Coordinates of all heavy atoms in Angstrom, one line a residue:
R25 N 8.1 -1.3 -3.6 CA 7.3 -2.2 -2.7 C 8.2 -3.0 -1.7 O 7.9 -3.1 -0.5 CB 6.5 -3.2 -3.6 CG 5.9 -4.4 -2.8 CD 5.2 -5.4 -3.7 NE 4.7 -6.5 -3.0 CZ 5.5 -7.6 -2.9 NH1 6.7 -7.7 -3.4 NH2 5.0 -8.7 -2.2
A26 N 9.3 -3.5 -2.2 CA 10.3 -4.3 -1.4 C 10.8 -3.4 -0.3 O 10.9 -3.8 0.9 CB 11.4 -4.9 -2.2
A27 N 11.1 -2.2 -0.6 CA 11.7 -1.2 0.4 C 10.6 -0.9 1.5 O 10.9 -0.9 2.7 CB 12.1 0.1 -0.2
A28 N 9.3 -0.8 1.0 CA 8.2 -0.5 2.0 C 8.0 -1.7 2.9 O 7.8 -1.5 4.1 CB 7.0 -0.2 1.2
L29 N 8.1 -2.9 2.4 CA 7.9 -4.1 3.2 C 9.0 -4.2 4.3 O 8.8 -4.8 5.3 CB 7.9 -5.4 2.3 CG 6.7 -5.5 1.4 CD1 6.9 -6.7 0.4 CD2 5.5 -5.8 2.3
E30 N 10.2 -3.6 4.0 CA 11.3 -3.6 4.9 C 11.2 -2.5 5.9 O 12.0 -2.3 6.8 CB 12.6 -3.5 4.2 CG 13.0 -4.7 3.4 CD 13.3 -5.9 4.3 OE1 13.8 -5.8 5.4 OE2 12.9 -7.0 3.9
G31 N 10.1 -1.7 5.8 CA 9.9 -0.6 6.8 C 10.6 0.6 6.5 O 10.8 1.5 7.4
E32 N 11.0 0.9 5.2 CA 11.7 2.1 4.9 C 10.9 3.3 4.8 O 11.4 4.4 4.8 CB 12.4 1.8 3.5 CG 13.6 0.9 3.6 CD 14.7 1.5 4.5 OE1 15.1 2.7 4.3 OE2 15.1 0.9 5.5
G33 N 9.6 3.2 4.6 CA 8.8 4.4 4.5 C 7.4 4.2 3.9 O 7.0 3.1 3.6
V34 N 6.8 5.4 3.6 CA 5.4 5.4 3.0 C 5.5 5.4 1.5 O 6.4 6.1 0.9 CB 4.7 6.7 3.5 CG1 3.3 6.7 2.9 CG2 4.6 6.7 5.0
I35 N 4.6 4.6 0.9 CA 4.7 4.6 -0.6 C 3.3 4.9 -1.1 O 2.3 4.8 -0.4 CB 5.1 3.2 -1.1 CG1 4.2 2.1 -0.7 CG2 6.5 2.9 -0.7 CD1 4.5 0.7 -1.3
F36 N 3.2 5.3 -2.4 CA 2.0 5.6 -3.1 C 2.1 4.8 -4.4 O 2.7 5.3 -5.4 CB 2.0 7.1 -3.4 CG 0.6 7.6 -3.8 CD1 -0.6 7.2 -3.2 CD2 0.5 8.6 -4.8 CE1 -1.8 7.7 -3.6 CE2 -0.7 9.1 -5.3 CZ -1.8 8.7 -4.7
Q37 N 1.5 3.6 -4.4 CA 1.6 2.7 -5.5 C 0.3 2.1 -5.9 O -0.7 2.1 -5.1 CB 2.6 1.6 -5.1 CG 4.1 2.0 -5.1 CD 4.6 2.4 -6.5 OE1 4.6 1.5 -7.4 NE2 5.0 3.6 -6.7
P38 N 0.2 1.5 -7.1 CA -1.1 1.0 -7.6 C -1.5 -0.3 -6.9 O -0.6 -1.1 -6.5 CB -0.8 0.7 -9.1 CG 0.7 0.7 -9.2 CD 1.3 1.5 -8.2
S39 N -2.8 -0.5 -6.8 CA -3.3 -1.7 -6.1 C -2.9 -3.0 -6.8 O -2.9 -4.0 -6.1 CB -4.9 -1.6 -6.1 OG -5.4 -1.4 -7.3
F40 N -2.7 -3.0 -8.1 CA -2.3 -4.2 -8.7 C -0.9 -4.7 -8.3 O -0.5 -5.8 -8.4 CB -2.3 -4.1 -10.3 CG -1.3 -3.2 -10.9 CD1 0.0 -3.4 -11.0 CD2 -1.7 -2.0 -11.4 CE1 0.9 -2.5 -11.5 CE2 -0.9 -1.1 -12.0 CZ 0.5 -1.4 -12.1
L41 N -0.1 -3.8 -7.6 CA 1.2 -4.1 -7.1 C 1.2 -4.5 -5.6 O 1.8 -5.4 -5.2 CB 2.2 -3.0 -7.4 CG 3.6 -3.2 -6.9 CD1 4.2 -4.3 -7.7 CD2 4.4 -1.9 -7.1
V42 N 0.3 -3.7 -4.9 CA 0.3 -3.9 -3.4 C -0.9 -4.6 -2.9 O -1.1 -4.7 -1.6 CB 0.6 -2.6 -2.7 CG1 1.9 -2.0 -3.1 CG2 -0.5 -1.6 -3.0
G43 N -1.8 -5.0 -3.7 CA -3.1 -5.5 -3.3 C -3.0 -6.7 -2.4 O -3.7 -6.8 -1.3
D44 N -2.2 -7.7 -2.7 CA -2.0 -8.8 -1.9 C -1.4 -8.5 -0.5 O -1.7 -9.1 0.5 CB -1.1 -9.9 -2.6 CG -1.8 -10.6 -3.7 OD1 -3.1 -10.5 -3.8 OD2 -1.1 -11.2 -4.6
D45 N -0.5 -7.5 -0.5 CA 0.2 -7.1 0.7 C -0.9 -6.5 1.7 O -0.8 -6.6 2.9 CB 1.3 -6.1 0.4 CG 2.4 -6.7 -0.4 OD1 2.8 -7.9 -0.1 OD2 2.9 -6.0 -1.3
L46 N -1.8 -5.7 1.1 CA -2.8 -5.1 1.9 C -3.8 -6.1 2.5 O -4.2 -6.1 3.7 CB -3.6 -4.1 1.1 CG -2.8 -2.8 0.6 CD1 -3.7 -2.1 -0.4 CD2 -2.4 -2.0 1.7
R47 N -4.1 -7.1 1.7 CA -5.0 -8.2 2.1 C -4.4 -9.0 3.2 O -5.1 -9.5 4.1 CB -5.5 -9.0 1.0 CG -6.5 -8.3 0.0 CD -7.0 -9.2 -1.1 NE -6.1 -9.4 -2.2 CZ -6.0 -8.6 -3.2 NH1 -6.8 -7.5 -3.3 NH2 -5.2 -8.8 -4.2
T48 N -3.1 -9.2 3.2 CA -2.4 -10.1 4.2 C -1.9 -9.3 5.4 O -1.5 -9.9 6.4 CB -1.3 -10.8 3.6 OG1 -0.3 -9.9 3.0 CG2 -1.8 -11.8 2.5
G49 N -2.0 -7.9 5.3 CA -1.5 -7.1 6.4 C 0.0 -6.8 6.4 O 0.5 -6.2 7.3
R50 N 0.7 -7.2 5.4 CA 2.1 -6.9 5.3 C 2.3 -5.4 5.1 O 3.3 -4.8 5.4 CB 2.8 -7.6 4.1 CG 2.9 -9.1 4.3 CD 3.7 -9.8 3.3 NE 3.2 -9.7 2.0 CZ 2.4 -10.6 1.4 NH1 2.1 -11.7 2.1 NH2 1.9 -10.5 0.2
L51 N 1.3 -4.8 4.4 CA 1.2 -3.3 4.3 C -0.1 -2.8 4.8 O -1.1 -3.6 4.7 CB 1.4 -2.9 2.8 CG 2.8 -3.1 2.2 CD1 2.8 -2.8 0.7 CD2 3.9 -2.3 2.9
V52 N -0.2 -1.6 5.3 CA -1.4 -1.0 5.9 C -1.8 0.2 5.1 O -0.9 1.1 4.9 CB -1.2 -0.7 7.3 CG1 -2.5 0.0 7.9 CG2 -0.8 -1.9 8.2
E53 N -3.0 0.3 4.6 CA -3.5 1.5 3.9 C -3.7 2.6 4.9 O -4.2 2.5 6.0 CB -4.8 1.2 3.2 CG -5.2 2.3 2.3 CD -6.4 2.0 1.3 OE1 -6.8 0.8 1.3 OE2 -6.8 2.9 0.6
L54 N -3.2 3.8 4.5 CA -3.2 5.0 5.3 C -4.4 5.9 4.9 O -4.8 5.9 3.7 CB -1.9 5.7 5.2 CG -0.7 4.9 5.6 CD1 0.6 5.7 5.4 CD2 -0.8 4.3 7.0
L55 N -4.8 6.8 5.8 CA -5.8 7.8 5.5 C -7.1 7.2 4.8 O -7.4 7.6 3.7 CB -5.3 8.9 4.7 CG -4.0 9.6 5.3 CD1 -3.5 10.7 4.3 CD2 -4.4 10.3 6.6
P56 N -7.7 6.2 5.5 CA -8.9 5.5 4.8 C -10.0 6.5 4.5 O -10.9 6.1 3.7 CB -9.2 4.4 5.8 CG -8.7 4.9 7.1 CD -7.5 5.7 6.8
D57 N -10.1 7.6 5.2 CA -11.2 8.6 4.9 C -10.9 9.4 3.6 O -11.8 10.1 3.1 CB -11.4 9.6 6.0 CG -10.1 10.3 6.4 OD1 -9.0 9.9 6.0 OD2 -10.3 11.4 7.0
H58 N -9.8 9.2 3.0 CA -9.5 9.8 1.7 C -9.8 8.8 0.6 O -9.4 7.6 0.7 CB -8.0 10.2 1.6 CG -7.7 11.5 2.4 ND1 -7.8 11.5 3.8 CD2 -7.3 12.7 2.0 CE1 -7.5 12.8 4.2 NE2 -7.2 13.5 3.1
R59 N -10.4 9.2 -0.5 CA -10.7 8.3 -1.6 C -9.5 8.2 -2.5 O -9.0 9.2 -3.0 CB -11.9 8.8 -2.4 CG -12.5 7.8 -3.3 CD -13.7 8.3 -4.0 NE -13.4 9.4 -4.9 CZ -14.3 10.3 -5.4 NH1 -15.6 10.1 -5.1 NH2 -13.9 11.2 -6.2
P60 N -9.1 6.9 -2.7 CA -7.9 6.7 -3.6 C -8.2 7.2 -5.0 O -9.3 7.2 -5.5 CB -7.7 5.2 -3.5 CG -8.4 4.7 -2.4 CD -9.6 5.7 -2.2
M61 N -7.1 7.6 -5.7 CA -7.2 8.0 -7.0 C -7.3 6.8 -8.0 O -6.4 5.9 -7.8 CB -6.0 8.9 -7.4 CG -5.9 9.4 -8.8 SD -4.5 10.5 -9.1 CE -3.1 9.4 -8.8

């Protein structure tokens, strides 16, 4: 997560870890037409 916040690349991580970052815009969810696992 810390590396992703620094702009190092794309990550595939659970919502309990990145949920706050998505809500604040620090991270952006990709491919919204795909249903998350």
Side-chain angles (χ1 to χ4, degrees):
R25 170 183 171 268
L29 290 171
E30 290 296 322
E32 284 298 305
V34 178
I35 63 174
F36 193 43
Q37 286 293 300
S39 55
F40 65 74
L41 181 62
V42 299
D44 287 343
D45 299 316
L46 296 171
R47 286 187 281 273
T48 59
R50 293 190 296 267
L51 292 174
V52 177
E53 186 167 0
L54 305 178
L55 303 176
D57 57 338
H58 285 65
R59 191 175 68 194
M61 179 175 64

